[in-house]
Amino acid sequence: MRIDARILLALLALLPLAAQAQADKKLIDKAEKGDTKAMVLLGRCYQNGAGVPLDSAAALQWFQKAADLGDGTAWCYISKLHIEGSALAKDTARYFAIRQEWADKGCPDAIAALGTAYLCGYGTAPDTAKAIELFQTATKKGSAWGCFGLGRMYLGLDGKKYADEKKGLSLMLKAAKLGDLDAIEMLADLYRLRKDYKKAWQWAEEGMKWGMPYATADAALMLYFGEGKATDEAKAQQMMEMLIDKFPHEDFCFELAGTFFMFTDDPALRDSAKAAAIWKAGDAFGGPRCQLRLGDECLRQGLRDEALGYYAKAAEKESDDWHNGQACLNVGEICLGDADTAQAIRWLRRGADKFEAAQCANRLASIYYTEGSHYNPAEVERYLLMSDRLGDTAALNSLFYLYSESGNSEKAAHTAQTLIDRKRSPGHYLMSTLLWEQGDTAGSTKELEAGAKEKCPFACLLLGKIHQNGAIGGDTNIEKAVGYYRLSNLSEAKYLLANIYLDNELGCKKAKEIAKNEAAGLALLKEAATEGYIDAIYRLGGCYETGSHVDSIDHARALSLYRLLSDNGVAAGDFKVGLYYELGDGGLRSDTAEAIRYYEKAAAQGIGMASCYLGDFYKDGAYLAKDEQRALELFTQAHQQGEAAGTARIGLLRLQQGDTLAALPYLRLAAAHGIGEAAYPVATFYEKGLAGLEANGDSAVAYYLAAYRGGSAPAGVWLGRQLIKEESYEQAAACFATAAQRGSAEGMAGYAVCLKEGLGVAQADPEEAYRLFEQSVRQEKIGQSYYNMGIARINGDGCPEDLNLGRAYLDTAANLGFTAAMVGLGACLLDGTGCLADTAQAIVWLERAADNGNINAVNLLGSVYQEKGDFKNAALYYEKAVAAGSLRGYCRLAYCYEEGLGVVLNSKKALDLYTIAAEHGSAEGMMSTAACYANGVGTEPDLTAAAKWFEQAAEAGEPKAMYYLGTLYENGGEGFAADLKKAKEWYKKAAALDYTPAAVALGRL
């Protein structure tokens, strides 16, 4: 059995040969007693080393014994040895003669074996029709060989056009059940490729009992990829070495063993020197597979002549058409690289005409189509038709485009129809493109739908795009687009489908469903990237670079993807690699010179952002000589390429140069394209009336919003502060948090305040707030943060209590001009918190705060002077507080009038001031107003009015008011009836708040 090398390029892992070997004593006894079937089977065991030592001479001996007894199947195995040239001399004539002789005698296996001779052209001219006829005859006679040969044909494994998978699989199963070991191996491979790993393991293990190398290979492949069983790469290496020892005549063993050592994922197991040594050992046996591998490795190392030598050797072989053809193709490609097209054509013709290699025929067609001096449409047509004959399903597609581009719509239509008649789904797609060009959109759409029914990948892809974008006058239908992309399964379709899932274009709202789609999208993106789709590689790199849709940021993986793009000439990859060199991420050391080299490559290919980065170096004079004119040229180049960042940089550079009028149009244009750093200065122009603009608050807010959406951290801080003033705390917290994430120290401080106070967040978090305050001051000296850290240290709120450190932080904040910190520092100096008490210095700080308009400072100064007995100054500060609207100021000034402290005693005025404070929600004002009514201060006693104000204070949560209500209801009075039930209710409420007098009164009642 020969498996296409493209299937076998994957790495192997080991499966231990646990199953009992078949060449047991019972089989040997039967063979020695003259059972010819047992003799043949024992010969196979010696061929594969199944239960007996691998011994080709012993195998031949048992085949010959059975043959001498007239067993035709044994003669077929002997003939096979003549074609392999192992135990017997290679002799195709003798090979064919033996099979013909025993086929003529009616031996079913010989009839099938003769079919193989005709199929491969061994000892006779190739005749596929004759081969099929013989396979069918042998199958009807119950030959396992016949079932196997015919099954291969129906499965299309010989590159022919007889594919009927269901029928082929049925025949292969029949052959296996009749004991054909090649069929057993083939089934393991077939089921693995169909991802039916349970059945694949079943047949692989059966084949391994008989020592079949390809069965072992399939089992190992499944282990390596985790298909049904766990991976074990170390055992895989052992298995590869065992296969080399056991099957030195099998070229694929050397190829795969070397491949495993060269490309294994585990660095500890990788050994390129050993891989090369294994391939060289395979070369010594004359294996074209190993010669191809050695050629590839030499080419990778830049050893062009050595590579050419290995490819040429492989191309001269005649034992393996596919590999011979691949070798011819490789030599041809090297010749093309040397600009020796004539020599390339000679080698490619050898591959196409001698070995019937479709890949060579295709390459010849492309040369004859694209190479000017060799342009020959007739040869293009000839080799594309040859490729089609050799089973290349894409050849007619290329032929269609040849006819279409040359204006031969009749032949193009005929080719498309041929594909449709052969039930090749691309036919409908190609016919649709032809109809579209002819203006028949309805017919084109109909053909696409017909192609989609036959699961044509390109038709499904195009229909998906039509439904996703609402093309051809239709409505957008994402669900239908998803369905068509799934049917397409092309790399581009996977990429587009991945985007739909990752960007939640389906509009899912349930978190579980969104997460499920995100996982599916990431898997599809990885598939498309693995298949080489450039956009998918780039987006996947972005996912790892930013940590979006993946578990965490992984710069090493991102860089490897961007390098892949760069190595394949994709300018976007150059830019990203340059960025990684500049930042020193992904395992790279920062290397600005190398970064600049990559930026220059990207900029030369039209990547505007690369031009921007290069311009930055010139603008700042970093690593390149400062040259603002060169910077402007590069920014202009980016701007002309449609890069909004270049537009913004022109505006910002002009702004830096002091030319606001020249800057404004560029900044506005960049802002319209979502560049936040351009929108922010425009916002300040409108706020302050600069750059020839009139002050306009609405326009300022609009540009601040645009700046924020475009990534500006300062805009986030500005919006956060405005929203706090409007008491839109949740939105404010979001703006501060975003600004903090963008690296703004002020954003960190603002969000920390929200966390500390529980404003707009799920719950207050003093510890996280303190951490953010600390983080912000490490980045920038912010008075607000030092103030909050000081208060937190004094109160032990979210951090260990430390009065000295707290007072020191307040001192720093006050000296940075933060008014609230001046008040706090004044309070510390008054009380001696974290320092020696110093009333005079406290007054200095409080007066500075008061001069800055801080009402708390004004009230506190009033209290300081009141405690000092300077009632006149106290009253003056309380009047200032009242003028500023301070409710506490109203209450303090009212007290002065009630007691005649620093002012003329005026009980009526005291009551009026208390009432104003009460009516504006001051609990202290409510209590004092209630006391005035209860005691007749500034009015006649009125217990009903007193009860009203005590009740309002109680509703505001004041336990003393609850207690006084209880006493009013307990004792009653003139015009106010006692009510012990209500008294108990209010005492209970006050007692529940741990107000002791209420608990005592409740006990008394």
Side-chain angles (χ1 to χ4, degrees), residues 476-491:
T476 298
N477 190 323
I478 299 297
E479 288 78 8
K480 278 191 175 182
V482 166
Y484 281 118
Y485 287 148
R486 283 175 176 165
L487 282 173
S488 171
N489 206 38
L490 289 171
S491 299

Side-chain angles (χ1 to χ4, degrees), residues 268-286:
L269 300 175
R270 199 174 301 141
D271 190 336
S272 57
K274 190 164 188 175
I278 290 171
W279 288 333
K280 285 179 180 177
D283 173 37
F285 282 100

Side-chain angles (χ1 to χ4, degrees), residues 623-904:
Y623 301 99
L624 294 173
K626 186 166 185 174
D627 186 340
E628 289 188 355
Q629 183 57 38
R630 178 58 181 148
L632 186 60
E633 289 171 3
L634 286 163
F635 295 154
T636 302
Q637 178 179 309
H639 165 67
Q640 291 170 345
Q641 290 166 343
E643 179 56 65
T647 310
R649 279 167 164 79
I650 295 172
L652 293 169
L653 180 56
R654 291 300 191 195
L655 192 62
Q656 180 181 311
Q657 293 170 340
D659 192 345
T660 54
L661 291 177
L664 184 59
Y666 289 103
L667 294 173
R668 273 180 162 165
L669 182 58
H673 284 85
I675 305 296
E677 63 177 344
Y680 187 78
V682 179
T684 63
F685 293 163
Y686 274 113
E687 184 183 10
K688 299 173 184 178
L690 301 174
L693 299 174
E694 291 185 9
N696 187 317
D698 290 342
S699 294
V701 170
Y703 272 99
Y704 277 127
L705 278 169
Y708 173 65
R709 291 177 185 134
S712 168
V717 173
W718 189 92
L719 288 168
R721 288 171 179 168
Q722 293 301 115
L723 289 163
I724 286 288
K725 292 176 185 177
E726 296 171 13
E727 298 185 1
S728 298
Y729 298 123
E730 189 171 341
Q731 291 173 297
C735 286
F736 284 134
T738 302
Q741 289 167 359
R742 291 169 180 168
S744 167
E746 290 187 322
M748 295 173 198
Y751 189 55
V753 170
C754 293
L755 288 170
K756 177 176 177 288
E757 304 295 336
L759 301 175
V761 294
Q763 61 181 24
D765 189 342
E767 290 184 5
E768 179 63 13
Y770 190 85
R771 187 191 69 78
L772 277 174
F773 285 132
E774 277 193 322
Q775 186 176 342
S776 69
V777 298
R778 287 194 181 98
Q779 187 169 320
E780 185 179 337
K781 289 187 178 298
I782 298 175
Q784 181 188 33
S785 292
Y786 277 112
Y787 165 73
N788 281 285
M789 289 164 64
I791 297 298
R793 284 293 182 181
I794 289 168
N795 297 325
D797 189 15
C799 59
E801 181 182 307
D802 189 329
L803 299 180
N804 291 329
L805 187 56
R807 194 272 312 156
Y809 283 150
L810 290 177
D811 196 332
T812 301
N815 280 290
L816 287 170
F818 195 70
T819 304
M822 298 174 189
V823 179
L825 182 58
C828 288
L829 289 165
L830 286 173
D831 299 338
T833 301
C835 60
L836 295 174
D838 188 336
T839 302
Q841 190 62 25
I843 290 173
V844 170
W845 281 110
L846 290 171
E847 286 181 339
R848 283 180 63 180
D851 290 342
N852 289 339
N854 188 283
I855 303 304
N856 291 332
V858 175
N859 278 318
L860 192 50
L861 280 167
S863 298
V864 170
Y865 282 114
Q866 184 176 334
E867 288 179 12
K868 290 177 67 176
D870 186 346
F871 300 117
K872 185 175 182 179
N873 270 326
L876 285 173
Y877 275 105
Y878 291 145
E879 285 175 350
K880 287 182 181 180
V882 167
S886 167
L887 298 182
R888 180 169 176 76
Y890 274 97
C891 293
R892 295 295 88 204
L893 185 58
Y895 179 74
C896 289
Y897 277 106
E898 183 182 356
E899 299 295 332
L901 301 173
V903 293
V904 177

